[in-house]
């Protein structure tokens, strides 16, 4: 091909290049126009990060000098002088979202995870971020998360979809202080404790859990709410249609519910090998015929507190509270393998509110705002003293309503997270649409047993996992 022929194609190549650039620009303009105000600000921030990176990186100590010239540079050298050393800068890929930017950067010799973490404060200032975190994504690559606005101070809302969740036992809680999703896997978990001052988000967090699980027939939920006396009162009134059982603050009613669930626990222990063919429900997961049973005990101190007094009624209530504690202890300690979870919520999860023999065997714990360090320790363990920035005593400001602290899954320390608000009308919509899925787990179990088998003759409180005898 002659030079003239090559030059003849030049306008076509240039035109194609200009067309691609124009298309790219149009895509960005449309994306910017359709974005909300917060995302637009993040898009502008992302552009600034890209444009200033080559100058910022050396100043922040994130560059390295390569004194070995590349082969082509050596061949092109005709004056006999050694080629100048090259300054290498990590390549970036920047993605904006509502809260800030996610930056992926490649590592270089002597510019790795540790160097990026040391430079995080400088990057936060240069990028105008509230905070910046750096974590290892994969070998040779780090992820830099910069948040322009504080996610903990930005209220969020959750609108339940009414669709069956992809992972039923994955509890989506909200976002952390870097706007990253926070979730906890509740498979094989026997108990959860939620503590915090009134009005700071405990019940709203539980409501989201119910709304997200409600579309699945493989979960059945019971509630004991110590704040109210009747089902039409309080925070769970809109969800009653999706609960197979509900009791208020009456200790006798609560005692009857706890006994009912303990009997279910024992019946399931006796029948699990016969019905499921295995000793642990979680080896196959819950189903509509053997659902995951969740008992929610809100204002748990109502049912466990010691009633002082020498009169007959005080003694009766005290004995009833002690029995309630014993029954719930059995559910938490022995209900895991048969698919029973207990969620206990209270203002202070101290020993008088949730007995320590129950609280200390619940592996998942979170706390909203607390007034005292002792209450924080009771909710999260003594380690919270070593993490003062994460202590829930710092969350008492009204701006932190909906913000909680929990143990960081799979890593040391604690995670602060913003939980979303679920509107009452959305909760009512979900409960109405899924009410037909509500079923009594005891009746479901009985329907799977052949005639002639009586579970009451083979209660097995010790979980021996032996099959039933006809």
């Amino acid at each position: 091909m002659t030079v003239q022929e090559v030059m003849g194609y030049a306008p076509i190549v240039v035109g194609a290049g200009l067309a691609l650039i124009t298309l790219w620009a149009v895509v960005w303009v449309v994306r910017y126009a359709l974005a909300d105000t917060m995302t637009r600000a993040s898009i502008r921030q992302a552009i600034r990060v890209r444009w200033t990176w080559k100058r910022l990186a050396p100043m922040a100590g994130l560059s390295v000098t390569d004194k070995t010239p590349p082969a082509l540079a050596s061949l092109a050298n005709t004056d006999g002088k050694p080629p100048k050393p090259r300054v290498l800068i990590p390549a970036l890929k920047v993605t904006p979202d509502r809260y800030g930017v996610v930056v992926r950067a490649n590592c270089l010799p002597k510019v790795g995870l540790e160097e990026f973490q040391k430079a995080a404060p400088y990057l936060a200032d240069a990028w105008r971020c509230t905070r910046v975190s750096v974590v290892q994504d994969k070998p040779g690559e780090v992820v830099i998360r910069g948040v322009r606005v504080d996610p903990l101070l930005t209220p969020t809302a959750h609108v339940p979809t009414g669709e069956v969740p992809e992972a039923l036992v994955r509890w989506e809680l909200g976002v952390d202080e870097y706007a990253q999703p926070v979730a906890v896997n509740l498979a094989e978990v026997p108990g959860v404790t939620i503590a915090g001052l009134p009005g700071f988000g405990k019940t709203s967090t539980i409501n989201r859990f119910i709304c997200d699980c409600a579309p699945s027939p493989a979960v059945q939920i019971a509630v004991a709410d110590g704040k109210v006396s009747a089902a039409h009162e309080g925070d769970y009134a809109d969800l009653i249609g999706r609960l197979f059982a509900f009791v208020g603050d009456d200790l006798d009613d609560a005692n009857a519910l706890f006994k009912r669930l303990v009997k279910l626990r024992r019946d399931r222990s006796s029948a699990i090998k016969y019905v499921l063919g295995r000793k642990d429900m979680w080896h196959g997961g819950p189903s509509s015929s053997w659902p995951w049973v969740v008992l929610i005990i809100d204002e748990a101190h109502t049912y466990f507190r010691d009633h002082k007094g020498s009169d007959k009624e005080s003694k009766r209530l005290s004995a009833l509270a002690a029995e309630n504690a014993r029954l719930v202890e059995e559910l938490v300690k022995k209900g895991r393998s048969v698919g029973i979870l207990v969620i206990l919520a209270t203002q202070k999860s101290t020993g008088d509110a949730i007995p320590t023999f129950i609280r200390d065997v619940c592996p998942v714990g979170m706390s909203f705002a607390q007034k005292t360090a002792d209450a924080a320790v009771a909710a999260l363990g003594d380690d919270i003293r070593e993490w003062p920035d994460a202590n829930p005593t710092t969350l008492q400001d009204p701006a932190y309503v909906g913000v909680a602290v929990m143990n960081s899954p799979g890593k040391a320390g604690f995670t602060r997270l913003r939980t979303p608000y679920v509107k009452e009308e959305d909760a009512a919509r979900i409960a109405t649409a899924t009410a037909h899925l509500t079923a009594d787990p005891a009746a479901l179990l009985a329907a799977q047993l052949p005639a002639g088998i009586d579970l009451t003759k083979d209660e097995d409180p010790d979980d021996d996992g032996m099959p039933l005898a006809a």
Side-chain angles (χ1 to χ4, degrees), residues 38 59 103 109 121 148-149 193-194 197 216 239 265 356 397 405:
M38 289 180 63
M59 292 190 293
V103 180
R148 183 176 39 78
V149 295
T193 60
I194 305 175
L197 296 175
S216 173
L239 297 167
R265 201 275 320 159
T356 55
D397 191 286
V405 179

Side-chain angles (χ1 to χ4, degrees), residues 183-198:
V184 59
N185 188 350
L186 295 177
E188 301 278 9
V189 171
V192 175
T193 60
I194 305 175
L197 296 175

Side-chain angles (χ1 to χ4, degrees), residues 133-156:
S133 72
V134 183
V135 296
Q136 190 86 45
D137 183 36
K138 57 185 178 181
E141 187 174 291
V142 297
V143 174
I144 309 168
R145 175 53 166 164
V147 288
R148 183 176 39 78
V149 295
D150 191 343
L152 300 182
L153 295 176
T154 307
T156 57

Side-chain angles (χ1 to χ4, degrees), residues 186-442:
L186 295 177
E188 301 278 9
V189 171
V192 175
T193 60
I194 305 175
L197 296 175
F200 272 81
K202 299 188 300 295
T203 302
S204 180
T205 299
I206 295 173
N207 279 350
R208 177 186 180 173
F209 171 81
I210 296 175
C211 289
D212 287 348
C213 291
S216 173
V219 62
Q220 299 297 335
I221 303 169
V223 170
D225 186 2
K227 299 190 300 292
V228 301
S229 299
H232 65 276
E233 302 172 350
D235 300 298
Y236 300 95
D238 296 320
L239 297 167
I240 290 297
R242 190 57 181 90
L243 308 177
F244 76 86
F246 178 91
V247 297
D249 58 2
D250 186 277
L251 262 64
D252 291 291
D253 292 343
N255 184 259
L257 173 61
F258 299 155
K259 285 181 176 177
R260 174 181 170 186
L261 291 175
V262 165
K263 183 180 186 305
L264 172 66
R265 201 275 320 159
R266 294 179 177 179
D267 289 348
R268 280 189 165 193
S269 294
S270 297
I272 187 169
K273 189 73 176 294
Y274 182 87
V275 175
L276 299 182
R278 55 185 185 271
K279 293 183 179 180
D280 192 330
M281 183 209 73
W282 294 108
H283 292 169
S287 64
S288 57
S289 58
W290 190 293
W292 186 30
V293 177
V294 181
L295 169 62
I296 296 168
I297 307 177
D298 204 343
E299 300 297 338
H301 55 273
T302 302
Y303 308 106
F304 304 138
R305 71 179 182 88
D306 187 18
H307 290 74
K308 305 295 183 181
S310 57
D311 59 286
K312 183 177 180 180
E313 181 62 10
S314 295
K315 291 181 178 179
R316 187 186 75 85
L317 292 175
S318 182
L320 203 57
E323 185 179 21
N324 286 342
R326 179 184 61 80
L327 294 170
V328 173
E329 177 189 15
E330 179 173 335
L331 290 174
V332 174
K333 289 185 175 180
K334 299 182 179 181
R336 175 193 56 80
S337 62
V338 297
I340 296 178
L341 167 69
V342 181
I343 299 177
L344 303 108
T346 188
Q347 296 175 24
K348 293 194 306 180
S349 54
T350 48
D352 57 337
I354 301 178
T356 55
F357 52 78
I358 296 175
R359 185 193 69 197
D360 293 347
V361 294
C362 294
V364 177
M366 70 178 69
S367 177
F368 291 83
Q370 295 286 0
K371 277 192 173 182
T372 66
D374 289 342
V377 169
L380 299 169
D382 197 62
D383 286 350
I384 191 61
R385 298 184 190 274
E386 307 299 324
W387 300 82
D389 291 342
N391 198 301
T393 56
T394 64
L395 302 178
Q396 297 180 54
D397 191 286
Y400 289 113
V401 170
V403 176
V405 179
M406 68 177 297
N407 297 87
S408 300
K411 59 181 181 180
F414 296 84
T415 297
R416 295 190 299 170
L417 64 139
R418 159 68 65 175
T419 61
Y421 175 70
V422 179
K423 293 182 179 179
E424 295 178 1
E425 51 266 35
D426 287 327
R429 169 177 56 84
I430 294 297
T432 301
T434 60
H436 66 284
L437 301 175
T438 306
D440 185 345

